[in-house]
Amino acid sequence: MKLICPECKNEVDLFSYPNLDVEQVIECNVCGISLLVNKIDGENVEAEIVDEGK
């Protein structure tokens, strides 16, 4: 699966989230921002910013 962070535009490492699901909150490993997964479409994942990072 692939997710591009809407904040830093880097690819988020989803290896830490093997059971990723819609409505799950994850953290961008690059900028530290919290993201809410909105949609999983095959290999593409869409998420929105929930909370500012570190």
Side-chain angles (χ1 to χ4, degrees):
M1 285 194 243
K2 183 176 180 179
L3 169 62
I4 302 299
C5 177
E7 177 72 14
C8 69
K9 308 300 184 218
N10 289 294
E11 187 172 341
V12 178
D13 181 9
L14 298 176
F15 184 76
S16 301
Y17 305 99
N19 299 316
L20 191 63
D21 202 4
V22 176
E23 300 292 317
Q24 184 174 350
V25 176
I26 62 173
E27 183 177 306
C28 176
N29 57 297
V30 179
C31 69
I33 203 161
S34 295
L35 303 169
L36 176 66
V37 176
N38 290 336
K39 181 179 175 185
I40 300 174
D41 183 18
E43 287 298 306
N44 295 316
V45 179
E46 293 179 18
E48 67 181 42
I49 298 169
V50 179
D51 190 23
E52 294 299 321
K54 301 169 186 161

